[in-house]
Amino acid sequence: MGFQNTTVCLLALDFHPFQRFFMEALHQISARHPDFHASLQRFLKSLESSQNTIRSYQNAIRSFMDWMAASDIENPKRENVIQWKDHMKATRSLGTAQTYLTAVKAFFRFLEQENLYRDITVNIRGVHVGNNPKKDPLTVEQVLTVLAKTQENTSGNRDYAIILLMVTCGLRISEIARANIGDFHWSGNSLLLSIHGKGKDGKTEFVPVPGITAQAINHYLNTRKRADENSPLFVSQSNNHYGRRISPRSISRMVKQTFMECGLCNRRLTAHSLRHTAITLSLIAGSSLQEAQQFARHSLITTTQIYAHNLEHVRNPCADRVAEALFPQRSFAALLKGKMAFNQEGKENIRL
Protein backbone atom coordinates (compact mmCIF):
# COMPACT_ATOMS: atom_id res chain seq x y z
CA MET A 1 0.00 0.00 0.00
CA GLY A 2 1.52 3.34 -1.06
CA PHE A 3 1.99 6.51 0.91
CA GLN A 4 0.70 8.90 -1.77
CA ASN A 5 -2.72 7.54 -2.69
CA THR A 6 -5.01 9.25 -0.22
CA THR A 7 -8.46 10.25 -1.42
CA VAL A 8 -9.87 11.82 1.73
CA CYS A 9 -9.47 15.21 3.32
CA LEU A 10 -8.33 15.06 6.93
CA LEU A 11 -8.65 18.76 7.62
CA ALA A 12 -12.39 18.64 8.20
CA LEU A 13 -12.02 16.38 11.21
CA ASP A 14 -12.55 18.00 14.59
CA PHE A 15 -9.21 17.26 16.24
CA HIS A 16 -7.07 18.99 18.83
CA PRO A 17 -4.81 21.56 17.04
CA PHE A 18 -1.75 19.36 17.60
CA GLN A 19 -3.62 16.36 16.26
CA ARG A 20 -4.83 18.36 13.27
CA PHE A 21 -1.24 19.36 12.50
CA PHE A 22 -0.36 15.68 12.73
CA MET A 23 -3.14 14.80 10.27
CA GLU A 24 -1.92 17.40 7.80
CA ALA A 25 1.56 15.93 8.04
CA LEU A 26 0.12 12.53 7.18
CA HIS A 27 -2.04 13.82 4.32
CA GLN A 28 -0.22 11.78 1.70
CA ILE A 29 -0.64 8.44 3.49
CA SER A 30 -3.07 5.98 1.92
CA ALA A 31 -6.54 5.91 3.47
CA ARG A 32 -7.89 2.75 1.87
CA HIS A 33 -8.46 1.05 5.21
CA PRO A 34 -12.01 1.89 6.41
CA ASP A 35 -10.84 2.46 10.00
CA PHE A 36 -7.92 4.67 9.06
CA HIS A 37 -9.12 7.84 10.81
CA ALA A 38 -10.15 6.01 13.96
CA SER A 39 -6.79 4.27 13.99
CA LEU A 40 -4.98 7.60 13.83
CA GLN A 41 -6.99 8.83 16.79
CA ARG A 42 -6.15 5.66 18.71
CA PHE A 43 -2.48 6.12 17.86
CA LEU A 44 -2.45 9.66 19.23
CA LYS A 45 -4.31 8.65 22.37
CA SER A 46 -2.05 5.66 22.91
CA LEU A 47 0.94 7.98 23.20
CA GLU A 48 -0.32 9.20 26.60
CA SER A 49 2.34 11.87 26.36
CA SER A 50 2.66 15.58 26.88
CA GLN A 51 1.93 18.05 24.09
CA ASN A 52 5.66 18.55 23.68
CA THR A 53 6.15 14.84 23.03
CA ILE A 54 3.24 14.76 20.60
CA ARG A 55 4.70 17.78 18.83
CA SER A 56 8.05 15.99 18.62
CA TYR A 57 6.38 12.92 17.08
CA GLN A 58 4.59 15.15 14.59
CA ASN A 59 7.82 16.84 13.56
CA ALA A 60 9.56 13.48 13.25
CA ILE A 61 6.95 11.92 10.98
CA ARG A 62 6.68 15.08 8.95
CA SER A 63 10.46 15.08 8.53
CA PHE A 64 10.35 11.50 7.27
CA MET A 65 7.53 12.31 4.84
CA ASP A 66 9.31 15.41 3.53
CA TRP A 67 12.45 13.35 2.98
CA MET A 68 10.44 10.70 1.12
CA ALA A 69 8.87 13.34 -1.11
CA ALA A 70 12.27 14.91 -1.86
CA SER A 71 13.67 11.44 -2.61
CA ASP A 72 10.67 10.53 -4.83
CA ILE A 73 9.80 7.50 -2.67
CA GLU A 74 6.19 6.30 -2.65
CA ASN A 75 6.47 2.89 -0.98
CA PRO A 76 9.19 3.09 1.68
CA LYS A 77 11.29 0.06 2.49
CA ARG A 78 13.61 -0.80 5.33
CA GLU A 79 16.66 0.57 3.51
CA ASN A 80 14.85 3.88 3.01
CA VAL A 81 14.37 4.29 6.77
CA ILE A 82 18.08 3.58 7.28
CA GLN A 83 18.96 6.17 4.62
CA TRP A 84 16.71 8.71 6.34
CA LYS A 85 18.32 7.89 9.69
CA ASP A 86 21.76 8.56 8.19
CA HIS A 87 20.44 11.82 6.75
CA MET A 88 19.17 12.85 10.17
CA LYS A 89 22.51 12.01 11.80
CA ALA A 90 24.27 14.22 9.25
CA THR A 91 21.89 17.18 9.53
CA ARG A 92 20.62 17.12 13.12
CA SER A 93 22.04 16.43 16.56
CA LEU A 94 22.38 12.78 17.50
CA GLY A 95 19.78 13.26 20.24
CA THR A 96 17.25 14.65 17.77
CA ALA A 97 18.02 11.88 15.29
CA GLN A 98 17.34 9.23 17.93
CA THR A 99 14.12 10.92 19.07
CA TYR A 100 12.84 11.17 15.49
CA LEU A 101 13.76 7.56 14.75
CA THR A 102 11.90 6.42 17.86
CA ALA A 103 8.79 8.28 16.69
CA VAL A 104 8.91 6.86 13.18
CA LYS A 105 9.43 3.32 14.48
CA ALA A 106 6.47 3.72 16.83
CA PHE A 107 4.34 4.96 13.94
CA PHE A 108 5.18 2.00 11.71
CA ARG A 109 4.43 -0.39 14.56
CA PHE A 110 1.04 1.25 14.81
CA LEU A 111 0.46 0.94 11.05
CA GLU A 112 1.20 -2.79 11.15
CA GLN A 113 -1.06 -3.34 14.14
CA GLU A 114 -3.85 -1.64 12.20
CA ASN A 115 -3.07 -3.67 9.03
CA LEU A 116 -2.35 -0.44 7.15
CA TYR A 117 1.33 -0.97 6.31
CA ARG A 118 3.96 -3.47 7.32
CA ASP A 119 6.48 -2.46 9.97
CA ILE A 120 9.65 -1.84 7.95
CA THR A 121 11.57 -0.55 10.95
CA VAL A 122 11.98 -3.88 12.75
CA ASN A 123 15.55 -4.40 14.03
CA ILE A 124 16.77 -1.02 12.76
CA ARG A 125 19.42 0.08 15.22
CA GLY A 126 18.99 3.26 17.18
CA VAL A 127 21.36 6.22 17.11
CA HIS A 128 24.11 5.94 19.70
CA VAL A 129 23.96 9.25 21.55
CA GLY A 130 26.41 8.60 24.38
CA ASN A 131 26.11 9.29 28.09
CA ASN A 132 27.82 12.65 28.46
CA PRO A 133 25.60 15.71 28.97
CA LYS A 134 24.77 17.45 25.70
CA LYS A 135 25.16 20.89 27.28
CA ASP A 136 28.08 22.44 29.13
CA PRO A 137 27.89 24.01 32.59
CA LEU A 138 28.96 27.57 33.32
CA THR A 139 31.68 28.58 35.73
CA VAL A 140 30.90 30.64 38.82
CA GLU A 141 32.43 33.70 37.14
CA GLN A 142 30.30 33.18 34.03
CA VAL A 143 27.11 32.85 36.09
CA LEU A 144 27.84 36.11 37.90
CA THR A 145 28.57 37.83 34.58
CA VAL A 146 25.28 36.63 33.12
CA LEU A 147 23.31 37.76 36.17
CA ALA A 148 24.91 41.20 36.01
CA LYS A 149 24.12 41.48 32.29
CA THR A 150 20.38 41.01 32.90
CA GLN A 151 20.29 44.27 34.83
CA GLU A 152 21.04 46.18 31.63
CA ASN A 153 17.70 45.21 30.06
CA THR A 154 14.20 46.62 30.59
CA SER A 155 13.07 43.19 31.79
CA GLY A 156 16.08 42.90 34.08
CA ASN A 157 14.23 42.13 37.32
CA ARG A 158 12.32 39.27 35.72
CA ASP A 159 15.29 37.84 33.80
CA TYR A 160 17.55 38.05 36.85
CA ALA A 161 14.98 36.16 38.95
CA ILE A 162 14.46 33.48 36.26
CA ILE A 163 18.17 32.79 35.78
CA LEU A 164 18.90 32.84 39.52
CA LEU A 165 16.01 30.43 40.20
CA MET A 166 17.22 28.06 37.48
CA VAL A 167 20.85 28.07 38.57
CA THR A 168 20.26 27.80 42.33
CA CYS A 169 17.43 25.27 42.23
CA GLY A 170 18.33 23.32 39.10
CA LEU A 171 14.93 23.85 37.51
CA ARG A 172 14.08 22.95 33.93
CA ILE A 173 12.72 25.53 31.49
CA SER A 174 9.26 23.94 31.47
CA GLU A 175 9.16 23.95 35.27
CA ILE A 176 9.87 27.68 35.32
CA ALA A 177 7.17 28.38 32.72
CA ARG A 178 4.52 26.33 34.56
CA ALA A 179 5.11 27.87 37.99
CA ASN A 180 2.44 30.03 39.61
CA ILE A 181 2.82 32.54 42.43
CA GLY A 182 0.67 30.34 44.65
CA ASP A 183 3.08 27.42 44.27
CA PHE A 184 5.28 28.85 47.04
CA HIS A 185 4.68 27.61 50.57
CA TRP A 186 6.54 27.45 53.86
CA SER A 187 7.65 24.34 55.69
CA GLY A 188 9.08 25.45 58.99
CA ASN A 189 11.74 28.01 58.13
CA SER A 190 12.17 26.73 54.56
CA LEU A 191 10.50 28.32 51.54
CA LEU A 192 9.46 25.64 49.05
CA LEU A 193 8.28 25.82 45.45
CA SER A 194 5.95 23.11 44.15
CA ILE A 195 6.82 22.22 40.57
CA HIS A 196 5.41 20.20 37.70
CA GLY A 197 8.41 17.95 37.10
CA LYS A 198 9.42 16.16 33.93
CA GLY A 199 7.13 13.23 33.15
CA LYS A 200 4.79 14.05 36.03
CA ASP A 201 1.02 14.49 35.82
CA GLY A 202 0.93 17.46 38.18
CA LYS A 203 2.87 19.55 40.65
CA THR A 204 3.96 16.61 42.76
CA GLU A 205 7.54 17.72 43.50
CA PHE A 206 9.04 20.65 45.37
CA VAL A 207 12.40 22.38 45.69
CA PRO A 208 13.78 24.53 48.53
CA VAL A 209 14.34 28.12 47.46
CA PRO A 210 17.41 29.93 48.89
CA GLY A 211 16.82 33.27 50.58
CA ILE A 212 18.74 35.28 47.95
CA THR A 213 16.62 33.72 45.20
CA ALA A 214 13.38 34.38 47.08
CA GLN A 215 14.46 37.98 47.52
CA ALA A 216 15.04 38.39 43.78
CA ILE A 217 11.65 36.87 42.96
CA ASN A 218 9.89 39.07 45.51
CA HIS A 219 11.61 42.14 44.08
CA TYR A 220 10.35 41.20 40.62
CA LEU A 221 6.79 40.49 41.82
CA ASN A 222 6.65 43.94 43.45
CA THR A 223 6.91 45.41 39.94
CA ARG A 224 3.90 43.42 38.72
CA LYS A 225 0.33 44.65 38.60
CA ARG A 226 -2.69 42.54 39.54
CA ALA A 227 -0.70 39.48 40.54
CA ASP A 228 -2.47 36.93 42.78
CA GLU A 229 -1.67 33.36 43.78
CA ASN A 230 -3.24 31.97 40.59
CA SER A 231 -1.15 34.21 38.37
CA PRO A 232 1.90 32.88 36.51
CA LEU A 233 5.13 33.36 38.41
CA PHE A 234 6.77 34.88 35.34
CA VAL A 235 4.95 36.70 32.55
CA SER A 236 5.83 37.94 29.09
CA GLN A 237 6.80 41.57 28.59
CA SER A 238 6.51 41.55 24.80
CA ASN A 239 3.97 43.77 23.07
CA ASN A 240 1.94 40.85 21.69
CA HIS A 241 1.73 38.76 24.87
CA TYR A 242 2.23 41.30 27.63
CA GLY A 243 1.12 39.97 31.01
CA ARG A 244 0.56 36.40 29.78
CA ARG A 245 2.44 33.37 31.04
CA ILE A 246 5.95 33.32 29.64
CA SER A 247 6.57 30.44 27.24
CA PRO A 248 9.45 27.96 27.43
CA ARG A 249 10.64 29.21 24.06
CA SER A 250 10.78 32.79 25.34
CA ILE A 251 12.82 31.68 28.35
CA SER A 252 15.26 29.81 26.11
CA ARG A 253 15.58 32.78 23.80
CA MET A 254 16.13 35.23 26.67
CA VAL A 255 18.83 33.12 28.31
CA LYS A 256 20.63 32.43 25.03
CA GLN A 257 20.56 36.11 24.11
CA THR A 258 22.00 37.03 27.51
CA PHE A 259 24.75 34.44 27.06
CA MET A 260 25.66 35.90 23.67
CA GLU A 261 25.74 39.43 25.06
CA CYS A 262 28.28 38.12 27.59
CA GLY A 263 30.40 36.61 24.84
CA LEU A 264 29.31 33.06 25.65
CA CYS A 265 28.60 31.95 22.09
CA ASN A 266 29.37 28.25 22.47
CA ARG A 267 26.56 26.23 20.89
CA ARG A 268 26.71 23.86 23.87
CA LEU A 269 25.65 26.70 26.18
CA THR A 270 21.88 27.06 26.28
CA ALA A 271 19.21 27.74 28.89
CA HIS A 272 19.40 24.09 29.93
CA SER A 273 23.06 24.70 30.80
CA LEU A 274 21.84 26.51 33.90
CA ARG A 275 20.44 23.24 35.26
CA HIS A 276 23.71 21.49 34.39
CA THR A 277 25.54 24.29 36.16
CA ALA A 278 23.47 23.84 39.33
CA ILE A 279 24.11 20.08 39.47
CA THR A 280 27.81 20.44 38.64
CA LEU A 281 28.41 23.20 41.20
CA SER A 282 26.62 21.18 43.88
CA LEU A 283 29.08 18.32 43.30
CA ILE A 284 32.08 20.68 43.21
CA ALA A 285 30.92 22.20 46.52
CA GLY A 286 31.07 18.78 48.14
CA SER A 287 27.57 17.34 47.84
CA SER A 288 27.37 13.57 47.88
CA LEU A 289 25.94 11.70 44.88
CA GLN A 290 22.78 10.99 46.86
CA GLU A 291 22.36 14.66 47.78
CA ALA A 292 22.96 15.73 44.17
CA GLN A 293 20.49 13.12 42.93
CA GLN A 294 17.79 14.41 45.26
CA PHE A 295 18.60 18.01 44.30
CA ALA A 296 18.40 17.24 40.57
CA ARG A 297 15.35 14.99 41.06
CA HIS A 298 16.95 12.22 39.00
CA SER A 299 15.01 8.98 39.23
CA LEU A 300 18.23 6.99 38.78
CA ILE A 301 21.51 7.75 40.53
CA THR A 302 23.33 6.60 37.38
CA THR A 303 22.14 9.83 35.74
CA THR A 304 23.78 11.85 38.51
CA GLN A 305 26.93 9.78 38.20
CA ILE A 306 27.33 11.03 34.63
CA TYR A 307 27.95 14.51 36.03
CA ALA A 308 30.48 13.19 38.53
CA HIS A 309 32.31 11.19 35.86
CA ASN A 310 32.34 14.20 33.55
CA LEU A 311 33.91 16.29 36.32
CA GLU A 312 36.59 13.65 36.86
CA HIS A 313 37.30 13.58 33.13
CA VAL A 314 37.65 17.37 32.93
CA ARG A 315 40.00 17.38 35.93
CA ASN A 316 42.17 14.58 34.49
CA PRO A 317 45.73 16.00 34.36
CA CYS A 318 47.13 13.52 31.80
CA ALA A 319 47.04 15.87 28.83
CA ASP A 320 48.98 18.57 30.70
CA ARG A 321 51.48 15.99 31.93
CA VAL A 322 52.08 14.75 28.40
CA ALA A 323 52.59 18.33 27.19
CA GLU A 324 55.03 18.98 30.02
CA ALA A 325 56.94 15.80 29.14
CA LEU A 326 57.13 16.80 25.48
CA PHE A 327 58.20 20.37 26.18
CA PRO A 328 60.23 20.27 29.41
CA GLN A 329 61.94 23.56 28.52
CA ARG A 330 58.68 25.35 29.20
CA SER A 331 57.41 25.35 32.74
CA PHE A 332 53.88 24.19 33.47
CA ALA A 333 53.06 27.64 34.84
CA ALA A 334 54.13 29.23 31.56
CA LEU A 335 52.03 26.77 29.59
CA LEU A 336 49.02 27.49 31.79
CA LYS A 337 49.56 31.23 31.45
CA GLY A 338 49.73 30.93 27.69
CA LYS A 339 46.58 28.84 27.67
CA MET A 340 44.71 31.43 29.74
CA ALA A 341 45.86 34.29 27.54
CA PHE A 342 44.74 32.38 24.44
CA ASN A 343 41.34 31.71 25.95
CA GLN A 344 40.85 35.36 26.85
CA GLU A 345 42.31 37.06 23.78
CA GLY A 346 41.76 34.57 21.02
CA LYS A 347 38.36 33.09 21.78
CA GLU A 348 36.60 35.37 19.33
CA ASN A 349 38.60 33.85 16.49
CA ILE A 350 37.63 30.29 17.39
CA ARG A 351 34.61 28.68 15.73
CA LEU A 352 33.14 26.39 18.39
Side-chain angles (χ1 to χ4, degrees):
M1 187 176 295
F3 268 73
Q4 297 179 351
N5 193 31
T6 182
T7 57
V8 298
C9 179
L10 303 174
L11 300 181
L13 300 177
D14 186 18
F15 289 129
H16 185 280
F18 282 151
Q19 295 175 335
R20 181 172 305 200
F21 175 83
F22 186 76
M23 297 303 171
E24 293 174 7
L26 300 175
H27 187 70
Q28 297 183 24
I29 296 178
S30 173
R32 291 177 181 176
H33 196 285
D35 296 326
F36 186 71
H37 298 153
S39 297
L40 280 174
Q41 285 183 289
R42 288 196 298 272
F43 172 70
L44 292 173
K45 291 180 180 179
S46 69
L47 293 178
E48 294 186 347
S49 302
S50 66
Q51 291 184 350
N52 288 337
T53 300
I54 293 176
R55 186 199 300 269
S56 178
Y57 272 51
Q58 294 163 353
N59 291 339
I61 297 172
R62 187 170 196 172
S63 170
F64 181 67
M65 292 180 61
D66 289 345
W67 179 85
M68 282 199 309
S71 303
D72 197 24
I73 298 173
E74 293 188 5
N75 300 295
K77 301 177 181 178
R78 185 176 187 275
E79 55 264 31
N80 300 135
V81 178
I82 295 175
Q83 292 168 353
W84 172 74
K85 181 184 75 170
D86 292 337
H87 168 73
M88 291 298 298
K89 288 164 61 178
T91 58
R92 301 290 186 94
S93 70
L94 295 180
T96 299
Q98 173 58 22
T99 299
Y100 277 30
L101 178 62
T102 298
V104 169
K105 292 178 72 172
F107 179 63
F108 273 103
R109 284 196 301 271
F110 150 77
L111 288 178
E112 182 169 272
Q113 291 170 358
E114 297 293 318
N115 296 319
L116 291 172
Y117 204 86
R118 70 186 185 280
D119 184 359
I120 59 176
T121 66
V122 174
N123 295 328
I124 290 182
R125 293 182 178 180
V127 179
H128 181 67
V129 179
N131 293 326
N132 290 329
K134 303 176 184 66
K135 305 302 177 184
D136 287 338
L138 279 70
T139 66
V140 172
E141 292 76 13
Q142 289 172 335
V143 171
L144 296 178
T145 300
V146 168
L147 288 171
K149 178 61 69 172
T150 62
Q151 299 302 297
E152 300 177 7
N153 304 321
T154 56
S155 58
N157 291 331
R158 183 202 67 181
D159 298 350
Y160 182 91
I162 288 176
I163 292 176
L164 189 59
L165 182 59
M166 292 180 71
V167 80
T168 57
C169 298
L171 296 188
R172 300 177 178 92
I173 300 170
S174 60
E175 294 166 348
I176 293 286
R178 290 169 173 169
N180 292 333
I181 295 176
D183 292 335
F184 286 102
H185 61 279
W186 288 92
S187 177
N189 294 325
S190 299
L191 178 63
L192 307 178
L193 174 64
S194 297
I195 57 173
H196 190 154
K198 181 180 179 181
K200 307 298 181 182
D201 292 329
K203 295 180 178 179
T204 59
E205 299 180 319
F206 65 86
V207 294
V209 180
I212 189 171
T213 305
Q215 184 179 9
I217 294 173
N218 191 56
H219 183 63
Y220 157 67
L221 292 178
N222 286 335
T223 67
R224 291 259 299 272
K225 298 179 180 179
R226 298 186 300 275
D228 56 39
E229 64 176 13
N230 295 319
S231 300
L233 180 58
F234 297 105
V235 297
S236 172
Q237 295 185 343
S238 67
N239 293 331
N240 295 332
H241 303 94
Y242 187 85
R244 299 180 184 177
R245 182 181 301 276
I246 192 170
S247 68
R249 181 173 297 183
S250 295
I251 296 174
S252 296
R253 188 185 303 116
M254 178 274 292
V255 174
K256 186 64 176 180
Q257 180 62 34
T258 306
F259 283 177
M260 295 181 68
E261 291 174 359
C262 294
L264 303 175
C265 303
N266 188 333
R267 63 179 178 272
R268 288 176 59 87
L269 291 178
T270 67
H272 197 65
S273 296
L274 295 174
R275 173 170 164 81
H276 286 290
T277 301
I279 300 170
T280 301
L281 290 181
S282 72
L283 290 169
I284 292 176
S287 299
S288 67
L289 276 176
Q290 290 74 18
E291 289 172 336
Q293 177 192 11
Q294 185 181 53
F295 170 69
R297 290 165 286 114
H298 290 150
S299 58
L300 299 175
I301 198 169
T302 52
T303 305
T304 315
Q305 287 174 333
I306 293 174
Y307 290 85
H309 293 162
N310 194 49
L311 268 177
E312 293 174 359
H313 185 68
V314 170
R315 291 169 171 173
N316 191 305
C318 290
D320 287 328
R321 288 172 180 170
V322 171
E324 190 172 4
L326 289 172
F327 303 99
Q329 68 276 16
R330 297 188 61 186
S331 67
F332 181 75
L335 288 171
L336 182 60
K337 182 178 179 181
K339 179 181 178 182
M340 294 299 294
F342 175 77
N343 286 339
Q344 294 175 359
E345 299 174 5
K347 62 182 178 182
E348 295 182 355
N349 297 322
I350 303 174
R351 294 182 61 87
L352 299 177

